Amino acid sequence: MSNPIRSRLALRSTAIITALLLGLGLLVIAIAAPMIARQEGASQHRQLEGLVNTVEHTAAIASFLGDDQLAGEILDGLSNNATVSGALIRAGEQVLASRGDLGGEETGIIRRPLMSPFNRDEQVGEVVLASNQGVIREQVKAATLLASTLLLLLVIALGLCVIAVVVRMITRPITTISNRLHGLKVELGQKLDIPNGNEQDEVGRLVRDVNAMIDYLVNLLNSEKALRREKELNERKFRAIFENAQSAIFVTDSQGVLLSSNPAFLRLFDVSPQQLGGPNPPLLFDLVGDQAGPLQARLRQCLDNNRGTTVEVTLSQPGRWLELIMNPGGEGTVQVIANDITAFKHATSKAEQKASTDALTGLGNRLGFEQRIHNLLDGDARGEPFALIYLDLDRFKEVNDSHGHQAGDAVLIKVGEILRALARKSDFIARLGGDEFVLLLEGVDREDVCTRLATEFLAVLDQPLALNDTLSVSVGASIGIAFGETGAVSAEAIIAQADEAMYRAKEQGRHRYCIHRPSAQ
Amino acid sequence: MAARTLRHLILLAALAWGCQALADDGAELVLVVHPDSGITTLSRDEAINIFMGRHRQLPSGITALPVDLAPARAEFYQLLTDKTLAQINSYWARLVFSGRASPPRQAQDAAEVLDIVANSRGAIGYVRRRDLSAGVRPLVGLATWRNLQTASTAP
């Protein structure tokens, strides 16, 4: 808008062409002016020569006769001419007549000898003509000015023609296209029209190119739109799944910063949205209590190996189990699906307990015992001492035979209670089947602990066991004791040792204990 | 130039031959003056100067009075100035207004010429040789000038 010369093609090209033409015109004038002047000067000279030619014959007669009257008339006639400043006719050396000023520049003087009308060889006089150089200069100037003016007019006319042509051929079609482009509703499939008469030229090609580009862009836009719609749909679908999932779904990085999470996550970890959106949002590791360390290690592992993994986490407060399925999410993030498996864990552990418990006595059964001793011996701990006590009731078969199974069961329950009362809380007691019991005393390497326990048990059995108000029975017990250290002995070996010691006690007369000693073997 | 000169030569040769025939016939024009005019001969340039109004006096100083013989005028000026009668008339017409020079007096026949010349000391005229009379002095036949002219132009 600032400068029309810069913003208007027609004006600019016209300005340039006009400037060029003006320059050329001035150059031509500069070269032509002296030529015109010379030409004009020569023309003036020719005119004066012509004047002299006209009067020459009469002037010759005047000179021949010495007729000053006639000579004067001739000079009067000559002097009427504006370019003549002065003239003179001589007869011989004598001046017949003169008019005006002959003292001008020498260049303007024309001399013509006058010959006798009757003898071409005899000079009778002379005519002298002085031209008015000022007038001639004026005329030369006028002629030059006229030529220059015509040239200038030509330049101006040419400039106007160029403007007209440029406006007609270039600017107007471009402006038309530009205006149409401004008002074009491309999204409705509108196209540019080619201005009339420009179908075959560059303007037409430009319009066709623009249309092709519009086509291309519209197609691109439509496919983009379709893609975006599809993506939106998918996103909404996934968002719904994410939002409504009962599993907690969240994304975290290796530092435990929570990048995104769903409502189930908030419920699972008991976090309020305000907390999460607040200035100091909790880290994942803040929410898992003492499990932070192991969890962070597993998180790192998942990222380092770039492989999914599943972790179970126990929250001591409020005592829940969580299962975290972690998958690397790219760029250092981990996607986690967390489920509360507390109920499942409880059910499992109840089932496990049920399987490893003797239903009659509430003590462990054979399976429970085997699990316990394998857990102890297959673990990582080394050099942890422990004691194994095998116990078999004497005369139990008689109770069963004489008082029935119920009495037998009552005896077994009673024995279980006695053992539970005698043993430490941490000691494991199991009934292996029938009237066979076992005690696993972890951390015990002192003989006296075991012998005291055995002695006390035997002492209890010295008294008859009151099964109910009316019935009391007497049973004894044979006890075998073996000692071992974790990592130094297998479960089978220690069981065999305790069993062997128990049979020794039976052989030695029952109701006593025997200790397995490595040296005794 | 050469071609023009050649043409003149042929023309003049023919004229010379014709005049010779006239001369024999007594038809040659002869300049005549008063016996007391003081001149016995006249050059062609002197004749031109007198008859064309340039000189007003005869070489002897007497005021000249040229006389034309009207019937022979064309022939005379042709021989004297090599110009037609129309050219001569035009010459005099230019001088009418200045009044400085005037054309010769016109005589209608040879007798009138002879009469004027015989009665005026400064008069000068021309008649055919056969019309000459005792009262005038014949100067020169114009054929002579023609021969002179032929001789002078010949080279």
Side-chain angles (χ1 to χ4, degrees):
Chain A
M1 283 276 89
S2 52
N3 190 348
I5 291 285
R6 285 194 181 283
S7 65
R8 290 301 186 91
L9 206 60
L11 281 179
R12 196 168 4 154
S13 47
T14 308
I16 290 168
I17 289 169
T18 308
L20 283 174
L21 285 176
L22 267 178
L24 270 175
L26 288 176
L27 189 68
V28 167
I29 288 171
I31 293 169
M35 286 168 67
I36 293 170
R38 222 169 15 245
Q39 191 94 17
E40 191 63 21
S43 154
Q44 293 289 343
H45 194 263
R46 267 199 309 281
Q47 275 183 28
L48 288 175
E49 292 272 2
L51 279 178
V52 173
N53 287 343
T54 310
V55 301
E56 184 180 9
H57 194 61
T58 315
I61 293 171
S63 280
F64 177 75
L65 291 176
D67 188 336
D68 52 357
Q69 192 88 26
L70 184 60
E73 275 182 32
I74 293 166
L75 293 184
D76 284 342
L78 283 177
S79 297
N80 282 338
N81 201 304
T83 55
V84 175
S85 69
L88 175 148
I89 293 176
R90 277 200 190 91
E93 289 306 308
Q94 183 203 347
V95 175
L96 267 187
S98 76
R99 293 288 187 275
D101 177 24
L102 278 164
E105 296 131 278
E106 193 60 26
T107 49
I109 300 284
I110 292 174
R111 292 171 183 279
R112 180 75 58 84
L114 297 172
M115 311 310 284
S116 160
F118 306 104
N119 186 350
R120 272 171 295 172
D121 299 326
E122 186 195 355
Q123 183 178 347
V124 293
E126 180 187 39
V127 59
V128 179
L129 201 66
S131 57
N132 189 336
Q133 289 299 302
V135 170
I136 290 178
R137 256 198 305 278
E138 283 302 315
Q139 287 183 352
V140 168
K141 211 186 284 177
T144 310
L145 196 66
L146 181 67
S148 307
T149 309
L150 287 176
L151 208 61
L152 202 68
L153 284 175
L154 183 72
V155 166
I156 291 169
L158 220 56
L160 288 174
C161 289
V162 169
I163 294 179
V165 169
V166 169
V167 165
R168 172 84 184 74
M169 301 301 292
I170 298 167
T171 311
R172 202 184 297 160
I174 288 177
T175 309
T176 309
I177 294 170
S178 175
N179 287 342
R180 284 182 192 165
L181 260 180
H182 275 292
L184 207 63
K185 291 187 167 53
V186 174
E187 62 276 13
L188 298 182
Q190 285 186 354
K191 294 282 182 61
L192 271 182
D193 296 328
I194 299 176
N196 278 337
N198 291 114
E199 290 82 1
Q200 304 293 324
D201 60 16
E202 290 88 340
V203 173
R205 219 176 69 191
L206 182 71
V207 171
R208 274 191 286 276
D209 286 348
V210 168
N211 280 340
M213 205 161 75
I214 289 173
D215 266 345
Y216 176 73
L217 288 178
V218 165
N219 283 341
L220 208 65
L221 211 66
N222 284 341
S223 59
E224 190 89 348
K225 234 185 257 173
L227 271 177
R228 203 162 49 218
R229 214 172 299 134
E230 196 179 334
K231 197 179 155 211
E232 245 165 54
L233 217 63
N234 278 338
E235 229 158 58
R236 224 174 310 147
K237 214 152 59 188
F238 286 126
R239 168 66 51 182
I241 293 172
F242 182 71
E243 294 288 337
N244 300 328
Q246 290 305 307
S247 301
I249 302 172
F250 60 95
V251 179
T252 178
D253 63 10
S254 62
Q255 302 302 312
V257 175
L258 291 162
L259 303 172
S260 75
S261 56
N262 67 347
F265 169 83
L266 300 179
R267 288 196 298 275
L268 187 63
F269 287 93
D270 196 23
V271 181
S272 71
Q274 290 76 22
Q275 246 178 301
L276 204 60
N280 283 314
L283 297 178
L284 174 63
F285 306 134
D286 298 336
L287 302 174
V288 293
D290 55 356
Q291 297 292 305
L295 185 59
Q296 188 161 15
R298 294 301 291 271
L299 218 58
R300 286 255 164 72
Q301 200 183 335
C302 171
L303 282 171
D304 292 345
N305 299 342
N306 196 28
R307 201 184 311 152
T309 179
T310 303
V311 192
E312 285 182 4
V313 173
T314 323
L315 297 182
S316 44
Q317 292 296 329
R320 285 187 309 168
W321 285 87
L322 300 183
E323 182 196 51
L324 306 184
I325 303 164
M326 307 194 292
N327 279 301
E331 295 173 3
T333 64
V334 179
Q335 299 170 345
V336 187
I337 301 172
N339 284 306
D340 190 337
I341 55 167
T342 309
F344 173 73
K345 272 287 177 188
H346 281 163
T348 310
S349 72
K350 207 170 265 176
E352 265 174 17
Q353 207 175 344
K354 205 171 187 181
S356 60
T357 302
D358 175 30
L360 186 64
T361 58
L363 302 173
N365 61 9
R366 181 174 287 277
L367 182 67
F369 167 67
E370 279 173 1
Q371 277 176 353
R372 189 66 185 250
I373 194 157
H374 277 111
N375 275 351
L376 178 67
L377 293 182
D378 296 347
D380 296 332
R382 289 278 183 280
E384 289 288 319
F386 68 92
L388 191 65
I389 301 176
Y390 255 61
L391 194 150
D392 194 69
L393 294 182
D394 303 329
R395 301 189 304 272
F396 178 69
K397 202 173 170 342
E398 292 164 26
V399 176
N400 245 357
D401 290 346
S402 51
H403 301 296
H405 283 292
Q406 280 189 338
D409 288 351
V411 168
L412 291 174
I413 291 166
K414 206 84 183 172
V415 168
E417 284 168 0
I418 294 163
L419 285 175
R420 208 178 273 146
L422 290 176
R424 299 174 306 173
K425 206 144 195 138
S426 62
D427 295 338
F428 181 76
I429 311 167
R431 186 175 73 104
L432 300 180
D435 55 351
E436 209 175 315
F437 292 83
V438 67
L439 285 89
L440 182 62
L441 291 76
E442 290 178 32
V444 172
D445 58 353
R446 281 165 52 189
E447 247 180 53
D448 60 334
V449 173
C450 297
T451 53
R452 195 189 312 136
L453 193 148
T455 309
E456 282 176 4
F457 180 65
L458 291 172
V460 173
L461 289 192
D462 283 342
Q463 306 295 321
L465 296 172
L467 300 182
N468 49 44
D469 296 343
T470 56
L471 181 62
S472 293
V473 293
S474 252
V475 290
S478 301
I479 298 169
I481 302 172
F483 292 95
E485 280 183 6
T486 55
V489 67
S490 71
E492 288 71 28
I494 195 82
I495 289 169
Q497 286 166 13
D499 202 36
E500 181 268 334
M502 187 196 72
Y503 274 100
R504 203 141 40 88
K506 270 197 199 295
E507 281 165 10
Q508 288 176 10
R510 297 187 172 176
H511 203 60
R512 65 186 70 231
Y513 64 83
C514 273
I515 298 173
H516 170 80
R517 296 186 195 284
S519 55
Q521 276 189 328
Chain B
M1 202 62 187
R4 203 175 151 195
T5 312
L6 189 65
R7 209 164 56 226
H8 280 187
L9 277 174
I10 293 166
L11 186 73
L12 285 169
L15 271 170
W17 182 84
C19 286
Q20 197 61 49
L22 283 172
D24 293 346
D25 223 8
E28 185 196 5
L29 288 173
V30 180
L31 277 177
V32 294
V33 291
H34 192 273
D36 298 334
S37 62
I39 55 169
T40 53
T41 182
L42 198 67
S43 74
R44 186 181 181 186
D45 283 338
E46 284 169 330
I48 290 174
N49 284 342
I50 290 164
F51 273 92
M52 299 317 292
R54 192 183 192 185
H55 290 172
R56 312 216 172 157
Q57 289 157 344
L58 297 176
S60 58
I62 299 166
T63 301
L65 175 64
V67 182
D68 270 339
L69 174 61
R73 221 172 139 234
E75 187 188 341
F76 173 75
Y77 283 105
Q78 188 70 56
L79 287 168
L80 184 70
T81 64
D82 199 20
K83 292 198 186 301
T84 64
L85 195 57
Q87 285 175 312
I88 296 301
N89 286 340
S90 152
Y91 171 83
W92 286 117
R94 287 173 213 245
L95 299 168
V96 165
F97 298 106
S98 75
R100 287 297 172 87
S102 47
R105 185 171 166 182
Q106 303 294 307
Q108 294 309 309
D109 51 25
E112 192 182 346
V113 173
L114 292 172
D115 181 49
I116 292 168
V117 171
N119 291 309
S120 172
R121 274 180 68 203
I124 178 167
Y126 51 91
V127 293
R128 298 199 187 278
R129 191 171 286 277
R130 62 172 175 257
D131 295 329
L132 281 174
S133 69
V136 300
R137 176 190 288 172
L139 279 181
V140 60
L142 267 66
T144 316
W145 290 340
R146 186 178 57 235
N147 294 341
L148 276 173
Q149 194 176 38
T150 308
S152 70
T153 333

